[in-house]
Amino acid sequence: MSSESPQTPSYDPAAHYDHITAAWALLLGEELHYGVFDHADDPLDVATRALTGRMVAAAHLDEAPSGTRVLDVGCGSGAPAVAMATAHGVDVVGITTSGVGVETARKRAASLGLDGVTFEQRDGMDNGFPDASFDVAWALESAHLMRDRPALLSEMARVLRPGGRLVLCDLLRFREIPFREVRERRVDFATLRAAFGDAHFESLDYYVEAVRGLGLEVEVADDLTQATLPTFDRWRANAELHHDAVVDLIGVEGHAAFVGSCDILEAFWRDGTFGYGIVGARRPA
Amino acid sequence: MTTSPADVERTVTDFLTRIEKLPEGFGDSTPLYADGAELDSLETAELSATLEDVHGSDPYSSGEMPQTLGEIQAFYAALPA
């Protein structure tokens, strides 16, 4: 699946994103995330914009005054950051540990001549920005790749100004998976790891309680599992449509791992093991 | 391969080396999880399966959750001859 030796695969998020960014643009679409399907026949790009729209609404960006600063934690290839800046006139700082992600995102912003959108290679679990320096801390589907979730949330809360908002959407875990099941299904879990990196999911309740514990007021906590379910059909269709190009980028094994992962995840979505959700919370003024 | 402490150590260190999680100075009292080799649940499941493949049984499948290489070696040492 890669130029790396199969004996020494890297599931580190930065290395993983460096490796898959180009292929995922073909497989997942330009925004590199799930979609929220208001209608079963919505195209993927409509659905991914709908998910971004949920985040925009939770962040109250539609009413953001000029000069609003947004920190996009785990900014991927920069598409949501660029979309936010374009549609809402906000200043966005996107951070990711992936050098390829930063480079891709910078090119995207430059090609549009956008001011006020910058991208930096930083770690969301220790972002290094001053306290109270952003109006919105935004994490779109990046939390599951950050091993120290308390540090991620604490850092997002720390940089919020009074009245600022934390918004996060991500994959969720709805039940504990006993060790015996992990062992029995280790091939499935290893396939997911090969395709999506070293991911770990939390429950919606975990995120709600965690941000409350940081002194934030929870405004949104929605389960989007059913609304995101058609995503897997669209990803499989993209894998078929772009088969040759994806194989050129991540190899036959990478392509197969991705398609297999769609099947595995869809089954987990349907049996109530995994799903998707969004949380929005506000720092009291 | 036998279940001697040396053979079990080789299985565990080979596994940790393969997944790039062999801590410096790894020994029979080094934690396998937090503050040690940092194995997560999937990696632990893979170690369990590797031990079974190589040595015919493994402590995890017997309901144990060994914390160190030494505890894995102790499991095999306690097996009937």
Side-chain angles (χ1 to χ4, degrees):
Chain A
M1 63 179 280
S2 75
S3 58
E4 299 158 350
S5 161
Q7 296 302 309
T8 57
S10 178
Y11 306 115
D12 166 73
H16 180 72
Y17 267 100
D18 284 351
H19 177 58
I20 52 79
T21 294
W24 276 19
L26 297 171
L27 295 166
L28 278 59
E30 280 297 316
E31 294 202 31
L32 294 184
H33 58 73
Y34 284 68
V36 167
F37 291 78
D38 294 319
H39 308 285
D41 58 351
D42 282 345
L44 181 60
D45 61 338
V46 171
T48 54
R49 281 199 298 273
L51 175 62
T52 308
R54 297 270 187 142
M55 289 283 282
V56 165
H60 291 238
L61 289 184
D62 284 334
E63 55 202 60
S66 175
T68 294
R69 295 191 78 220
V70 179
L71 175 63
D72 181 357
V73 181
C75 61
S77 61
V82 164
M84 270 189 275
T86 305
H88 305 287
V90 295
D91 295 333
V92 184
V93 179
I95 62 170
T96 172
T97 53
S98 166
V100 172
V102 168
E103 184 183 350
T104 305
R106 285 175 175 166
K107 285 178 181 171
R108 184 190 299 276
S111 71
L112 297 170
L114 280 177
D115 293 327
V117 185
T118 58
F119 298 96
E120 300 180 25
Q121 194 166 1
R122 292 185 187 233
D123 187 342
M125 297 176 289
D126 182 15
N127 64 47
F129 291 109
D131 294 354
S133 51
F134 289 90
D135 301 289
V136 173
W138 164 295
L140 200 167
E141 225 170 274
S142 57
H144 66 278
L145 288 170
M146 299 191 200
R147 182 60 68 91
D148 190 345
R149 226 91 53 182
L152 164 67
L153 297 172
S154 174
E155 282 288 272
M156 291 176 75
R158 181 184 63 79
V159 300
L160 279 182
R161 293 170 177 152
R165 287 186 166 87
L166 178 156
V167 292
L168 176 151
C169 63
D170 214 296
L171 290 83
L172 301 176
R173 173 177 52 77
F174 287 102
R175 65 179 177 90
E176 293 289 339
I177 303 175
F179 179 76
R180 183 176 299 275
E181 182 178 346
V182 175
R183 192 183 191 284
E184 288 172 354
R185 303 192 64 175
R186 64 187 180 279
V187 174
D188 284 350
F189 286 114
T191 300
L192 294 178
R193 183 179 58 191
F196 293 106
D198 189 11
H200 296 264
F201 308 155
E202 301 288 356
S203 67
L204 192 57
D205 287 345
Y206 167 84
Y207 285 115
V208 167
E209 293 308 316
V211 297
R212 277 193 183 133
L214 292 165
L216 307 187
E217 298 166 349
V218 175
E219 297 178 316
V220 177
D222 292 339
D223 179 352
L224 300 175
T225 301
Q226 287 306 310
T228 51
L229 182 60
T231 302
F232 303 112
D233 270 344
R234 305 303 191 276
W235 288 354
R236 276 190 292 260
N238 280 343
E240 187 174 342
L241 180 65
H242 301 295
H243 176 276
D244 293 350
V246 171
V247 166
D248 283 347
L249 289 164
I250 59 174
V252 172
E253 290 179 16
H255 183 277
F258 180 83
V259 174
S261 293
C262 289
D263 298 340
I264 295 164
L265 280 173
E266 185 175 37
F268 277 135
W269 245 243
R270 291 187 185 282
D271 74 13
T273 299
F274 296 145
Y276 204 97
I278 182 171
V279 174
R282 180 174 179 269
R283 174 175 288 291
Chain B
M1 195 175 286
T2 73
T3 57
S4 70
D7 281 349
V8 171
E9 178 175 0
R10 184 180 309 157
T11 302
V12 173
T13 55
D14 284 354
F15 173 82
L16 294 175
T17 301
R18 181 165 58 82
I19 66 169
E20 300 181 321
K21 284 199 169 180
L22 182 67
E24 202 166 316
F26 180 75
D28 58 10
S29 61
T30 307
L32 293 168
Y33 317 108
D35 300 324
E38 304 281 352
L39 294 183
D40 64 19
S41 59
L42 175 55
E43 290 158 346
T44 305
E46 291 169 329
L47 173 60
S48 166
T50 299
L51 288 166
E52 184 181 42
D53 289 345
V54 175
H55 301 291
S57 63
D58 77 282
Y60 300 94
S61 297
S62 301
E64 298 182 20
M65 188 58 72
Q67 300 297 306
T68 62
L69 166 63
E71 291 183 16
I72 295 175
Q73 291 168 319
F75 166 83
Y76 289 107
L79 291 177

